[in-house]
Amino acid sequence: MKPLLCILAAASLLAFGGDRKEKEFISDNFGYAQTQLKNMLKDTETRDALAFPRTTDKAGKMTTTNMYDWTPGFFPGSLWYAYEGTKDPQLLAEATKWTEKLEPLKDFTKHHDLGFMVYCSYGNAYRITGKQEYKDILIQSAKSLSTRFNPVTGSIKSWNAFKTWHGEQMYYFPVIIDNMMNLELLFFASKASGDNTFRDIAIKHAETAMKNQIRKDYSSYHVVCYDTTNGKVLARETAQGYADNSTWSRGQAWGIYGFTMVYRETKDKRFLKTAEGMADWFLNNKNLPADMVPYWDFNVQQTGYTPGVRSNATKVREKYRDASAAAIVASALFELSDYVGKTKGDKYREAGKKMLRSLAGPAYRADLGANGNFMIKHCVGSIPHNGEIDVPLVYADYYFLEALQRYQRTL
Ligand code: GLY
């Protein structure tokens, strides 16, 4: 063989070998998820049928919530992803069963998280099965979520009330960066129903968030509180972050993922610029550890950042990691990498791979049967509320599996 042909043959063998290794990595992790989810399913048999996995207690046993908390969609969603990754019929049956328990949510209007609750469950169910009844439930859910939109604030109200960590002040139109994630349900509903009202609401919300929730350097405020009489911003604070002016890692993750998704649905470059800016801020941050799993807030214990007096963040000295934020960002980066040029796309894909490798390594991925049968360790729910500190969280597992699937599509 001529030298040039030899080099080309060796290069393609190397690339093929590299891909094979990556495919093995993905299928090993789906195999692991299959076993761990089946362990969890066994545990759920001993519980109330409407108890949805969330995290663990101090003894390391699984704890659950009812369906009206913000997280019930993630366990069925993980079952759907694991089914797609393994084609195991038991996982298909369980994904169906756990999704269909959530049907009453279609009329739920008490907080903004219906997107997470319904789109991660029924959205995946519809994507995979194409069942008409699932589509109807998703459209009805979008109608319910839309009732929380206020044209004066140009936003969907996240919670009905928010109490500052600084004292007793209450706000009655708080919007959190997490809310970007709930817009995916609205975009879906417009495509599925032909009614553009949902999409218009989603775009308005995203524009308002871009203006008021994202700082000039593309870091993010967690909570923005509005005056419903004139749409003015009353306060920019934090609920789950370290300080009002800090950047809560999972909030930044929701923003990267959310603006990437809004760009996918609109092709409006302003949203792409925001997604890229937020991703670059995250990836280039000097406080991001080498394994790319962030501390729970980028500004913990830094000069110039002070938690409110009532926040438990004043008492916690240990700088915990939040692996859930890494899982969300990894998934987002695999999508974002498709929307930017090659150089940046490669950078985002490499970062997503690195995060996945960390999460799937011994530091973050639990042994089979351990960690309350959740997959990912070392997440933080909310240090200010003194809740769910250094524990597994059901949404970390969901985005870990979604990231694996998105990575698989790139090979
Ligand atoms: N959406 C709530 C959270 O991220 O904790």
Side-chain angles (χ1 to χ4, degrees), residues 29-141:
N29 274 287
F30 275 120
Y32 161 84
Q34 178 183 28
T35 309
Q36 193 73 334
L37 283 165
K38 285 188 179 179
N39 290 337
M40 185 171 276
L41 284 164
K42 269 225 152 43
D43 188 355
T44 63
E45 285 166 15
T46 66
R47 319 276 182 128
D48 186 300
L50 292 178
F52 290 81
R54 163 74 165 252
T55 180
T56 51
D57 61 17
K58 288 208 160 40
K61 274 184 75 71
M62 178 176 82
T63 61
T64 59
T65 69
N66 69 30
M67 75 168 77
Y68 301 104
D69 208 315
W70 74 281
T71 51
F74 294 116
F75 182 54
S78 293
L79 292 167
W80 284 115
Y81 282 135
Y83 163 66
E84 284 186 297
T86 60
K87 297 288 176 278
D88 179 336
Q90 190 197 337
L91 292 177
L92 171 63
E94 293 287 353
T96 306
K97 184 177 103 187
W98 281 87
T99 296
E100 291 181 357
K101 291 178 194 207
L102 296 177
E103 182 178 355
L105 292 179
K106 67 182 190 290
D107 298 314
F108 181 76
T109 58
K110 293 209 164 72
H111 57 69
H112 70 140
D113 281 317
L114 209 53
F116 284 117
M117 296 151 88
V118 170
Y119 202 67
C120 299
S121 52
Y122 278 101
N124 280 308
Y126 179 67
R127 180 176 61 77
I128 293 165
T129 69
K131 276 193 197 160
Q132 176 69 34
E133 65 196 89
Y134 295 167
K135 179 159 117 177
D136 296 343
I137 288 166
L138 287 159
I139 295 169
Q140 178 54 37
S141 302

Side-chain angles (χ1 to χ4, degrees), residues 146 149 156 183 186 196-206:
S146 300
F149 179 73
I156 295 165
L183 308 182
L186 300 181
N196 272 340
T197 318
F198 308 117
R199 174 186 168 83
D200 293 345
I201 288 174
I203 292 173
K204 185 72 207 166
H205 182 98

Side-chain angles (χ1 to χ4, degrees), residues 249-250 253-254 282 289 291-297 319-331 355-356 358-361 363-366 371 375-381 388-401 403:
S249 299
R250 195 161 60 253
W254 295 138
F282 190 104
D291 66 5
M292 301 186 93
V293 176
Y295 300 109
W296 67 277
D297 188 294
K319 281 172 74 178
Y320 291 102
R321 304 292 190 94
D322 180 13
S324 77
I328 297 158
V329 173
S331 182
M355 286 175 187
L356 263 185
S358 290
L359 293 173
Y364 295 98
R365 202 188 81 172
N371 202 35
M375 295 172 228
I376 302 297
K377 306 184 278 186
H378 304 308
C379 307
V380 166
E388 300 176 334
I389 302 173
D390 200 21
V391 289
L393 288 166
V394 67
Y395 40 96
D397 290 6
Y398 174 87
Y399 289 103
F400 172 63
L401 295 182

Side-chain angles (χ1 to χ4, degrees), residues 180-197:
M180 290 299 301
M181 300 295 286
N182 294 309
L183 308 182
E184 195 165 9
L185 170 67
L186 300 181
F187 284 113
F188 168 84
S190 277
K191 286 182 285 186
S193 67
D195 177 352
N196 272 340
T197 318

